[in-house]
Amino acid sequence: MATAITVETAHGEGQGIHEGHGHAGHPPPSAGVDSRKLLMWLFLTSDTMFFGTLIATYMMYRDRSIQLLTPPYPNDIFDIPYTSVSAFVLLMSSLTMVLALASIQRGNYRGLRIWLAATALLGGIFVGGQVFEFTTFAHEGLTLSSNVFGSSFYVLTGFHGAHVTIGVLWLVALLVVSLRGGLPKEKAMSVEIAGLYWHFVDIVWIIIFTFVYLVPYPNPVKEATEAAPAAFLHLVSLGQQMLAALPF
Amino acid sequence: MASIAQPRIEAPVITAPPVEGTGLWSWLTTIDHKRIAKLYGVTSFILFLVGGLEALLIRIQLARPQNDVVTAQRYNELFTMHGTTMIFLVLMPLTVAFFNLLVPLQIGARDVAFPRLNAFSYWTFLLGALMLNIPILFALPSIFAGMAETALLNLFGSTALGGLQATLDKLPFANAVPDQGWYGYAPLTERLFSGHQIDFWAFGLQLLGIASMVGAFNFIVTIINMRAPGMTMMRMPIFCWSTLVTAVLIIMAFPSITIALFFLTFDRYGGTHFFNAFNIADGTLVSSGGDPMLWQHLFWIFGHPEVYIMILPAFGIVSEIIPIFSRKPLFGYAVMVYALAAIAFLGFGVWAHHMFTTGLAATPVAAFAATSMLIAIPTGVKIFNWTGTMWGGSLTFPTAMLFAVGLVSQFVIGGLSGVMHAVVPIDTHQNDSYFVIAHFHYVLFGGTLFALFGAMYFWWPKIYGKLLDERLGKLHFWLTFIGFNLTFFPMHFLGLAGMPRRYHSYSFESGWWFWNAVETIGALIIGAAVLVFLLNILRTAQEKQDVPANPWDAATLEWATPSPPPVYNFRIIPQVTHRDQLWHDKYDRILEAQGRPDAAADAIIEIDQLPQSSPVGVAVAEEQAELGNIHMPNPSFYPLVAAIGLFLLPVGMVLNNPHIPLGSFIGLPVITAIGILVLLTGIFGWSFEPAD
Amino acid sequence: MASNVAHGQQVIGHAEEEHTTPQEYVRVAIVLAIITAIEVFIYYLPSARPLLVPALIILSLAKFAAVVGYFMHLKFDNRLFQFMFIAGLVVSLSVFLAFLAMFWYSTSYMPLT
């Protein structure tokens, strides 16, 4: 992922090699903002479309497996108290992240390391919780292939989980750099950018937690299959004919 | 470039300005935007020849009724690869080549904001193109052998080549060419209906999407943050505006296709049901709830902005060329900028007009028809403004201008047939017919490709320090123009007469044979035009020329640098005071000297061309000594390493196939693991390598 | 910020650098935690069912705005970032609401609720 790459700019800000003197003949950034921060904001803007696609797909398929009577159903699978705790953990990791930034901006390196470690730890707990959640759900019969609910649920939350995992690795890398003395106050921007990414992952979870977990699901109605459009049933019968025509 | 090596200005304490390295290694590690532009340009031009060859084969197959030059399966593969290649591997990267070349030069910067990311973008593009093209490159020998076999048999009754095609068909991957059409509609791409040819297509597109998005982020930051002092947004050359708008479209449109391809990969490898309505459980078919319409929506949420991603840079190019050869500033600059932004914004609200015949409800159909018609307004504004620019100008018509005016005329035809598609009843009739083919070739060939050819003639001196031959250039233009119209205009008639697209052959009774024969002749003329262009390139390469910095007397900053520009572009970052800065420096200041009151401007004319003893030359040397030496970021090979790592991940997935011996043993576990390691090495080395 | 100041560059929008103190961050976090608790609480409240969905939407948007505005500092940051992010949100929201509307109201797979 491009986000995990620390990048340089022709302004020489990337690795902070040139702090303390103006770069030869280079004018200041014409929009008056840090190029790397601008890059991160652009990435996050684009990421709204990534998660927009995933969440919209989930919302479109939200009730479909209930209507088609293809279990397992969300109401039998979700464990709201458990997920509420993970949501709380991720929310609090945003607080520790912002405290890490406040520490480095004030030159408090000990605080920076403590809060970075805390954020990475909370993120790790969240990912671990998600792995446990996935395992439990799989034991209860919800897999990627069991129905469209399983497909869209695992891919959406898994994509988010991958974002969190990358974030944890990034935070750990910052922590190691800081412990080796490579993260002075002048490089607060490195922490700020990681923080922007981290908070974005958090706001995506705020949306997922509400729309995937909390907004209630209907219970399956036996007559629901009759609601399936005629065209769909026609497609199924067409597919059955095609399957019958297959040589194997 | 050698002349640049010696500093011409004898300044007090100054070292030689940076020079480009030579040799293969310097190309593999280059992060210079001009070199990356050349890499993009050459790669996509080679792919243009491949895609053009595919188009010629399609046209030869359709030359007469009941033709059987290629089999129906091969025909499917050819039109799929032709479309995918021309869109993702030719038009987009060729415009990216010009973004790379021009944006830093036009905004007065020494490079893009993130030079290494730029190199990463190119290498990912190259490997994605390779991924997509591996199968067709193995299949083309078999296709040609088949044609030669048939020709020998029909002309001489000889069977000398008998069996050659069958032998070549056994080449690895020769039967794994993507064949599902460039938009890969589900459920044709699902496991149930396809082999592993879809993997090459899906993973290839995924890599190309990453390359495009990374490049787009880079250009947005560059344009927003690297402009020379005084260059406000509204003083920026219009090409930079079109780059900015295109890049915004890329970062907002590509996520949708990326996720759709991600879903497809899960459908194919993970057993999910995003796009397939069926599930096979114990040999019987059960409904899974998946919806093929999801693919269509996600594809066109990306696909329609993609159309503007291909055409807006062409608009930018034409808006640069026409004023120069009309000897007038661009008419209505601000309105042109607003029109670009309006097209981009509306471009996100029209995707369902590609799906009018899929059974959408009446309300969405009406809404999308209305937004689609709305787009004609800002587009029409641009056409009028180009005409307004030429109106009353002292027009000259070198090849670049011919191609630019060619765009204006041909795009109008494509645009008008586009508005026709917004009218739902007409669209229902034209859907999936040759009328649609005519429409989008008028937009993308008559539009984008004409502009790109014009851009090549216009900026060739800036890239290579040589002017392309004008006589051959005019021959190139007229052959292209005539061949293009012969090929694509009759498609309107055929489409209205009911000829469907993607059909391998047609009967004599259909009455379509005449225009099809004309079209094939037109396509061969286009082929001849491309050969003329290649001849022009080769002849120019052998010539010795001494091209001045500004051979066209153009107005934007790239022409203030020598041809070709030194690695650092500008010895001193220019101060910008006006929109058409070079014209202002040259002409307004003359008027000023004649008594016209005008704001004093800092000349930046051709600093590198000035004799060192001149007053400005001395001033430059002094200023440079004060600022310190020009410092450019170091070359880096980590972008290449990271791109190779990224490439190996899908390679492992593709090899993980029962048809390939040992594939499942070495594919996923070994190659993908190596890919992850290489990728991590690239990222790690990149992060801890000093930037410059 | 700091590095930019070291560059001797005029950086817009950083006058409010010390705008938010750690105490304020903690206060925002407490509010966020309380909103989350309310969300889960009303989820289990049968009498809240009719208004549950709008309430959840409003509460989650409030959380979203608080994290973006305060933790991501967007409320006090450069207007360029505000414009970019909000414009991106508007485009993606409108695109996907139209997308969902087409699925929900042109097939009989309407949500059952």
Side-chain angles (χ1 to χ4, degrees):
Chain A
M1 288 256 114
T3 50
I5 299 167
T6 311
V7 282
E8 88 284 14
T9 76
H11 294 310
E13 284 152 20
Q15 299 295 319
I17 302 297
H18 293 280
E19 262 113 35
H21 62 85
H23 204 325
H26 278 301
S30 38
V33 293
D34 183 277
S35 282
R36 292 191 302 151
K37 189 173 171 185
L38 179 57
L39 181 69
M40 180 45 76
W41 271 111
L42 281 169
F43 171 74
L44 298 182
T45 307
S46 171
D47 226 12
T48 59
M49 283 299 281
F50 275 104
F51 279 106
T53 314
L54 284 158
I55 294 171
T57 303
Y58 184 86
M59 293 307 281
M60 171 209 147
Y61 281 145
R62 206 171 178 274
D63 292 353
R64 195 173 278 195
S65 50
I66 307 168
Q67 287 165 315
L68 290 169
L69 299 178
T70 45
Y73 306 115
N75 283 347
D76 307 333
I77 289 288
F78 284 151
D79 182 353
I80 299 296
Y82 179 86
T83 313
S84 306
V85 173
S86 338
F88 181 75
V89 165
L90 198 60
L91 204 58
M92 288 306 111
S93 78
S94 259
L95 174 65
T96 54
M97 184 71 235
V98 91
L99 291 177
L101 177 63
S103 302
I104 189 173
Q105 283 171 345
R106 286 163 180 73
N108 174 3
Y109 300 123
R110 194 164 158 271
L112 167 72
R113 285 161 203 162
I114 290 171
W115 293 122
L116 274 182
T119 314
L121 185 69
L122 289 171
I125 291 173
F126 178 85
V127 174
Q130 198 173 36
V131 170
F132 178 76
E133 188 187 42
F134 281 10
T135 325
T136 316
F137 289 0
H139 275 299
E140 290 170 26
L142 186 75
T143 63
L144 272 173
S145 55
S146 46
N147 53 20
V148 276
F149 163 60
S151 302
S152 51
F153 170 77
Y154 280 122
V155 173
L156 166 60
T157 51
F159 196 79
H160 177 265
H163 268 69
V164 181
T165 311
I166 290 169
V168 170
L169 293 176
W170 192 348
L171 292 171
V172 170
L174 281 176
L175 183 61
V176 171
V177 171
S178 168
L179 285 170
R180 296 177 63 181
L183 211 54
K185 191 180 171 186
E186 291 72 35
K187 285 195 181 179
M189 187 52 78
S190 297
V191 179
E192 186 172 345
I193 290 165
L196 286 177
Y197 175 83
W198 190 260
H199 299 309
F200 183 80
V201 170
D202 185 25
I203 57 174
V204 171
W205 190 255
I206 290 174
I207 301 297
I208 292 179
F209 178 59
T210 307
F211 288 91
V212 174
Y213 289 89
L214 288 185
V215 170
Y217 291 84
N219 282 316
V221 189
K222 283 295 167 202
E223 300 82 59
T225 32
E226 283 158 28
F232 178 76
L233 295 175
H234 177 68
L235 263 180
V236 169
S237 77
L238 210 70
Q240 252 148 5
Q241 286 165 29
M242 276 156 57
L243 195 70
L246 284 177
F248 47 87
Chain B
M1 302 305 298
S3 63
I4 308 301
Q6 294 93 33
R8 290 181 203 163
I9 299 160
E10 305 240 331
V13 269
I14 197 151
T15 56
V19 260
E20 276 175 299
T22 49
L24 180 66
W25 184 248
S26 75
W27 283 93
L28 291 176
T29 59
T30 188
I31 53 169
D32 175 12
H33 70 98
K34 296 175 292 297
R35 283 195 153 194
I36 292 172
K38 284 185 192 173
L39 288 171
Y40 261 113
V42 171
T43 313
S44 49
F45 196 80
I46 292 170
L47 288 159
F48 169 68
L49 298 180
V50 174
L53 196 64
E54 288 154 5
L56 276 180
L57 288 171
I58 293 174
R59 275 317 325 162
I60 289 169
Q61 162 61 23
L62 292 174
R64 61 192 184 109
Q66 309 283 14
N67 210 0
D68 206 13
V69 171
V70 293
T71 61
Q73 170 62 28
R74 287 294 183 209
Y75 184 81
N76 288 352
E77 297 168 4
L78 285 172
F79 72 64
T80 303
M81 287 312 294
H82 168 70
T84 313
T85 303
M86 286 303 187
I87 288 166
F88 294 102
L89 308 180
V90 177
L91 296 183
M92 282 186 70
L94 262 183
T95 57
V96 172
F98 283 102
F99 295 168
N100 263 300
L101 175 73
L102 294 175
V103 166
L105 285 169
Q106 286 196 330
I107 62 173
R110 290 201 169 124
D111 208 324
V112 292
F114 305 101
R116 288 184 294 180
L117 213 52
N118 205 18
F120 173 77
S121 170
Y122 169 72
W123 295 116
T124 312
F125 154 71
L126 179 69
L127 294 169
L130 189 67
M131 186 76 168
L132 206 54
N133 270 292
I134 285 171
I136 189 78
L137 293 178
F138 281 105
L140 281 174
S142 146
I143 294 173
F144 286 125
M147 287 169 71
E149 241 176 75
T150 322
L152 277 183
L153 192 68
N154 290 349
L155 294 175
F156 308 110
S158 155
T159 52
L161 286 176
L164 181 61
Q165 184 185 23
T167 317
L168 288 173
D169 250 348
K170 293 196 184 76
L171 282 176
F173 309 120
N175 287 310
V177 190
D179 57 355
Q180 79 293 1
W182 85 275
Y183 34 61
Y185 275 176
L188 275 183
T189 47
E190 294 287 329
R191 266 281 156 89
L192 192 54
F193 304 103
S194 67
H196 68 309
Q197 74 270 37
I198 303 300
D199 295 330
F200 288 98
W201 181 81
F203 291 130
L205 283 199
Q206 198 70 284
L207 288 173
L208 293 170
I210 293 170
S212 298
M213 275 192 282
V214 167
F217 287 130
N218 206 344
F219 284 113
I220 299 176
V221 177
T222 306
I223 290 171
I224 290 182
N225 233 7
M226 304 277 288
R227 281 166 289 131
M231 179 165 282
T232 56
M233 290 304 271
M234 292 311 266
R235 279 183 196 156
M236 227 166 40
I238 195 92
F239 180 76
C240 292
W241 264 110
S242 75
T243 307
L244 178 65
V245 173
T246 307
V248 169
L249 279 173
I250 290 176
I251 67 162
M252 294 304 281
F254 267 81
S256 173
I257 186 80
T258 305
I259 296 295
L261 289 167
F262 198 61
F263 287 164
L264 181 63
T265 308
F266 267 95
D267 269 12
R268 294 176 60 79
Y269 285 91
T272 54
H273 306 293
F274 285 104
F275 307 125
N276 60 348
F278 317 115
N279 195 7
I280 299 178
D282 306 325
T284 52
L285 216 55
V286 294
S287 63
S288 63
D291 199 331
M293 284 290 282
L294 175 64
W295 172 270
Q296 292 204 20
H297 276 286
L298 295 185
F299 185 85
W300 289 116
I301 287 175
F302 148 78
H304 201 83
E306 167 72 10
V307 175
Y308 298 115
I309 290 166
M310 286 184 278
I311 194 66
L312 292 187
F315 287 176
I317 287 167
V318 168
S319 307
E320 293 289 341
I321 294 177
I322 288 181
I324 304 306
F325 298 112
S326 308
R327 313 308 304 154
K328 275 175 70 190
L330 183 67
F331 179 78
Y333 170 93
V335 180
M336 289 295 249
V337 171
Y338 302 146
L340 278 172
I343 293 174
F345 180 73
L346 288 173
F348 279 101
V350 298
W351 79 89
H353 72 206
H354 295 267
M355 304 162 61
F356 278 158
T357 55
T358 57
L360 297 174
T363 315
V365 165
F368 279 98
T371 51
S372 306
M373 289 181 205
L374 219 53
I375 285 203
I377 297 172
T379 318
V381 163
K382 301 194 84 73
I383 303 281
F384 282 116
N385 279 14
W386 290 323
T387 320
T389 308
M390 286 188 276
W391 186 269
S394 8
L395 297 172
T396 47
F397 287 97
T399 315
M401 181 64 164
L402 283 176
F403 272 111
V405 179
L407 175 140
V408 178
S409 63
Q410 304 303 290
F411 186 84
V412 167
I413 300 176
L416 286 177
S417 55
V419 182
M420 288 170 77
H421 291 141
V423 183
V424 184
I426 301 180
D427 180 80
T428 312
H429 176 57
Q430 292 162 348
N431 187 61
D432 266 350
S433 78
Y434 263 79
F435 196 91
V436 179
I437 313 273
H439 160 67
F440 67 68
H441 279 92
Y442 265 89
V443 176
L444 293 181
F445 191 138
T448 311
L449 202 60
F450 271 44
L452 286 168
F453 276 132
M456 286 185 217
Y457 282 91
F458 190 64
W459 279 292
W460 204 268
K462 196 43 68 189
I463 314 170
Y464 293 106
K466 288 174 183 180
L467 284 159
L468 286 169
D469 187 74
E470 275 298 312
R471 276 175 56 199
L472 281 176
K474 282 183 179 149
L475 181 65
H476 172 211
F477 169 75
W478 284 111
L479 280 178
T480 310
F481 188 83
I482 293 166
F484 166 73
N485 278 294
L486 271 183
T487 311
F488 296 107
F489 204 82
M491 288 189 183
H492 292 110
F493 310 145
L494 286 176
L496 293 179
M499 182 169 169
R501 59 192 288 204
R502 302 193 211 95
Y503 273 36
H504 163 252
S505 54
Y506 52 92
S507 70
F508 179 78
E509 290 74 26
S510 63
W512 300 329
W513 63 272
F514 175 73
W515 288 122
N516 269 299
V518 171
E519 285 169 10
T520 303
I521 294 169
L524 292 171
I525 295 176
I526 299 176
V530 173
L531 290 181
V532 171
F533 184 56
L534 283 173
L535 180 71
N536 199 346
I537 293 176
L538 291 176
R539 269 188 54 173
T540 310
Q542 285 168 345
E543 277 173 23
K544 282 216 180 308
Q545 290 189 21
D546 192 17
V547 174
N550 192 355
W552 310 112
D553 191 13
T556 40
L557 285 182
E558 76 269 30
W559 302 103
T561 63
S563 305
V567 64
Y568 46 83
N569 295 352
F570 298 95
R571 203 174 277 272
I572 291 191
I573 300 295
Q575 285 281 337
V576 180
T577 52
H578 288 76
R579 194 175 287 154
D580 293 319
Q581 184 71 37
L582 301 196
W583 281 357
H584 169 77
D585 290 345
K586 196 168 169 184
Y587 299 111
D588 291 358
R589 286 159 64 88
I590 295 170
L591 292 175
E592 196 181 322
Q594 290 166 349
R596 188 180 128 181
D598 200 332
D602 299 322
I604 50 152
I605 34 162
E606 298 163 22
I607 285 167
D608 280 282
Q609 304 288 305
L610 290 168
Q612 42 181 276
S613 53
S614 75
V616 180
V618 171
V620 165
E622 279 169 2
E623 193 177 345
Q624 199 182 330
E626 203 174 299
L627 287 168
N629 295 317
I630 297 171
H631 193 83
M632 296 302 288
N634 292 325
S636 168
F637 68 101
Y638 288 113
L640 178 58
V641 174
I644 289 175
L646 200 61
F647 174 63
L648 288 177
L649 306 180
V651 166
M653 302 273 281
V654 169
L655 285 180
N656 187 24
N657 186 292
H659 299 292
I660 297 166
L662 290 178
S664 45
F665 292 104
I666 57 162
L668 257 191
V670 180
I671 305 232
T672 305
I674 293 174
I676 292 171
L677 277 180
V678 174
L679 180 62
L680 288 177
T681 313
I683 293 173
F684 187 81
W686 189 332
S687 309
F688 292 96
E689 179 186 52
D692 50 5
Chain C
M1 15 194 66
S3 66
N4 281 324
V5 175
H7 280 255
Q9 290 152 358
Q10 198 63 43
V11 176
I12 305 153
H14 285 290
E16 303 93 339
E17 185 49 56
E18 304 299 319
H19 201 98
T20 320
T21 60
Q23 289 74 25
E24 279 170 300
Y25 285 138
V26 173
R27 245 173 276 150
V28 173
I30 291 170
V31 171
L32 287 170
I34 291 171
I35 297 179
T36 310
I38 295 173
E39 281 186 322
V40 179
F41 177 72
I42 58 172
Y43 175 82
Y44 284 107
L45 203 66
S47 58
R49 273 284 146 135
L51 284 175
L52 180 59
V53 175
L56 283 176
I57 291 174
I58 291 167
L59 290 172
S60 67
L61 288 185
K63 278 161 78 181
F64 186 98
V67 174
V68 175
Y70 291 93
F71 287 175
M72 294 171 90
H73 219 256
L74 194 62
K75 195 178 164 193
F76 314 107
D77 215 327
N78 196 300
R79 291 185 56 175
L80 176 69
F81 297 143
Q82 296 174 355
F83 170 77
M84 259 168 36
F85 190 66
I86 292 169
L89 274 182
V90 167
V91 167
S92 99
L93 256 182
S94 10
V95 164
F96 290 112
L97 285 178
F99 162 90
L100 283 176
M102 270 188 279
F103 269 104
W104 283 345
Y105 299 106
S106 56
T107 75
S108 58
Y109 285 120
M110 252 182 256
L112 289 178
T113 31

